[in-house]
Amino acid sequence: LALRCRDAEQTRWFYEDVLGLTLAAALSLENSPGTEKKRPFLHLFLELGDGNYIAFFDEPEHARPEQFKIKDSFDIHIAFETENIESMLAWKDKISAAGDFIFGPIDHDFVESVYFFDPNGYALEITHKTAKHDAVLLEEKSNASKATKVFIDFIINSCLFN
């Protein structure tokens, strides 16, 4: 996952110092990749516990304030899983102590989650599986194709008659 950031140091602080990810690289580049077009930017790579990365581009000359407004969680939403409710609540306390607004827990039946935003306006979630997790997902998997068809039919019918 690669996203734009408002300020590389603020983003590094949040993801490394608050969330505990490891800063794996910070590349300062002068040209747009694959071209000779001058477009200076800093590219941060923050390592997740499984060896994957979240990357951020800090490009001050092309960043606009509206790019950093709070994002709807349906548009951009990053979830981190923790092992249990106690761990999730400890994360909630740590994030709150860093000055970020965090709300929840919200019980989704198969998981419980807390929600907050990073310094760039991206929605983040810390979640843990409930005891019902596997059973709920197994049941939902068996209904997934039917639910998708019902939803698509509803959308088509709503558009045709409105």
Side-chain angles (χ1 to χ4, degrees), residues 17 19-21 30 34 36 39 42 48 60 67 71 79 81-85 90-91 102 131-132 138 144 152:
D17 296 351
L19 296 185
L21 277 63
E30 292 298 318
E36 292 306 313
R39 191 174 180 179
L42 183 64
L48 299 167
Q67 292 171 310
K71 311 297 184 290
E81 183 180 341
T82 191
E83 56 278 355
N84 54 45
I85 190 167
W91 276 109
I102 185 166
K132 299 179 194 176
L138 185 62
I152 290 170

Side-chain angles (χ1 to χ4, degrees), residues 60 62 72 146:
H62 291 89
D72 186 306
K146 181 181 176 185

